[in-house]
Amino acid sequence: MARGDWTRETLAAGVRAGDRRALARAITLVENSEPLAYDLVRELYPETGGAYAIGVTGPPGVGKSSLISSLVRHVRAQELTVGVISVDPSSPFTKGALLGDRIRLADHFLDPGVFIRSMGTRGHLGGLAEATLQALLILDAAGKEIVFLETVGAGQSEVEVIGIADTVVLVLMPGSGDSVQALKAGIMEIPDVIAINKMDHPAAKTMLNEVRSILSLDRERAWRPPIVLTEATRGENVEELWSKIEAHRAFLESEGELEERRRRNLAGEVFAVASMRAKAHLEGAVADDPELRRLLDEVQRRELDPLSAVREILDKVFHIGDQNGTDPR
């Protein structure tokens, strides 16, 4: 079907049938924030909730794509259908995704039970989590049983993207300063399972002990993130890693936590997208309104304090007055 020929009905039918061209077109519409994408996701949304989303994050160069490739091979041997969304926020020039690392996933491109898509920010940082959620919902509606969300790096936008996953796998590599930085930066609050890739590295055991000692500081969590040493390129211990992911899923389901986590993630997503839209609206309103710009100038000249400016801007743009005379904070 030609690019312009898709309608909401034909796209929805194609997605439900798992048609690859329909999926590719639908995700492109999502990336470009096309109105048709909103209509499509609205129609398909009641049919979602079947896919299990696994977020895979960690510093660049630790072998996430190779590990996902091995996991996909393992999962396909169990005859489960798979989607992979590789999210790359670091591609400012092409406005698309950098495909270099995805070559490792090439083995699976011809497998009809696997759908792989790379996504870039396309210039709207912060909109990546929104686009990723929509793409996940489309793959979910297409009947994919497992969806991997891979992020490059471990910054704020990656944390937002990973916020929609059911199980988060953090991949680290021994002998890499980045990995230790990731531990220190508090990213340890995120993972449910940890893979230390390149297990043959002489520092692998040392890193395992380091990570274990950092995890032991957190006694609050009911789930203790297991640590698995892997060698992705040879597929070593991938089966064990998958069994830990399944154990986490079983834990969530037995505690009634899976439904609760999904509810929390979706609510968080609604607020995150609403905040982003409100911020964009606010910035546009201030840019177009000389009076609001004057308020900012006064703050910058220290003639008006920031909170008084906030009060006036919110009142003018969103009609949120400080009715009770209470502190706007």
Side-chain angles (χ1 to χ4, degrees):
M1 192 176 290
R3 274 182 70 159
D5 294 346
W6 292 106
T7 63
R8 193 189 79 234
E9 291 77 13
T10 56
L11 258 182
V15 167
R16 286 186 186 105
D19 177 76
R20 293 171 86 86
R21 285 177 313 156
L23 283 172
R25 185 73 193 124
I27 293 175
T28 298
L29 291 171
V30 156
E31 278 195 287
N32 295 332
S33 304
E34 301 270 350
L36 180 54
Y38 292 107
D39 294 341
L40 177 67
V41 173
R42 187 168 60 234
E43 178 170 334
L44 294 172
Y45 188 65
E47 299 156 45
T48 61
Y52 195 80
I54 298 160
V56 181
T57 191
V62 294
K64 293 185 292 289
S65 293
S66 302
L67 203 53
I68 290 173
S69 182
S70 295
L71 283 167
V72 168
R73 192 171 294 109
H74 180 70
V75 167
R76 286 297 291 140
Q78 299 175 29
E79 299 189 351
L80 294 169
T81 54
V82 182
V84 180
I85 303 170
S86 290
V87 180
D88 193 342
S90 58
S91 176
F93 301 110
T94 60
K95 296 285 187 269
L98 299 171
L99 283 160
D101 284 344
R102 312 296 168 257
I103 302 307
R104 294 169 189 80
L105 286 162
D107 303 357
H108 306 291
F109 277 120
L110 298 176
D111 181 344
V114 179
F115 184 87
I116 297 167
R117 179 62 175 257
S118 278
M119 289 172 65
T121 53
R122 306 211 168 231
H124 49 248
L125 244 163
L128 202 52
E130 176 185 344
T132 308
L133 174 65
Q134 304 277 81
L136 168 62
L137 292 171
I138 285 166
L139 291 177
D140 190 345
K144 298 300 177 201
E145 292 157 287
I146 302 291
V147 179
F148 291 98
L149 303 171
E150 177 195 5
T151 70
V152 175
Q156 186 53 43
S157 53
E158 288 83 0
V159 170
E160 285 168 11
V161 165
I162 234 70
I164 57 178
D166 298 316
T167 294
V168 175
V169 179
L170 174 65
V171 186
L172 299 171
M173 184 178 76
S176 138
D178 277 353
S179 298
V180 179
Q181 285 313 112
L183 309 188
K184 289 177 180 165
I187 202 166
M188 276 307 182
E189 296 156 24
I190 300 168
D192 302 301
V193 178
I194 296 167
I196 296 178
N197 197 27
K198 310 193 181 176
M199 61 191 274
D200 297 341
H201 192 286
K205 291 283 194 302
T206 310
M207 177 163 232
L208 177 71
N209 294 330
E210 254 181 45
V211 173
R212 192 169 278 148
S213 67
I214 290 171
L215 287 177
S216 68
L217 299 174
D218 181 6
R219 296 195 171 84
E220 302 296 304
R221 289 174 66 165
W223 170 260
R224 314 291 293 170
I227 309 165
V228 184
L229 289 168
T230 59
E231 178 46 69
T233 46
R234 293 200 304 271
E236 283 184 45
N237 284 1
V238 166
E239 191 173 336
E240 188 192 341
L241 178 60
W242 181 250
S243 77
K244 300 299 185 199
I245 293 169
E246 288 194 308
H248 180 247
R249 180 178 186 167
F251 166 80
L252 290 178
E253 286 173 342
S254 69
E255 299 291 315
E257 254 290 306
L258 180 59
E259 194 52 42
E260 185 48 43
R261 180 180 271 219
R262 286 181 171 179
R263 287 166 66 89
R264 207 167 49 238
N265 288 352
L266 288 167
E269 204 56 36
V270 168
F271 284 118
V273 174
S275 303
M276 194 183 70
R277 297 276 169 90
K279 181 172 183 264
H281 179 68
L282 205 52
E283 286 170 351
V286 171
D288 295 339
D289 188 319
E291 193 186 328
L292 295 179
R293 278 207 312 278
R294 178 184 57 74
L295 287 171
L296 278 186
D297 291 341
E298 286 180 14
V299 172
Q300 287 157 349
R301 291 197 302 269
R302 298 189 184 271
E303 293 167 6
L304 179 70
D305 70 283
L307 286 181
S308 296
V310 166
R311 188 180 293 148
E312 288 197 47
I313 290 171
L314 289 181
D315 187 30
K316 178 130 198 231
V317 178
F318 293 123
H319 311 295
I320 302 173
D322 190 19
Q323 293 113 338
N324 313 324
T326 53
D327 188 323
R329 285 171 295 176

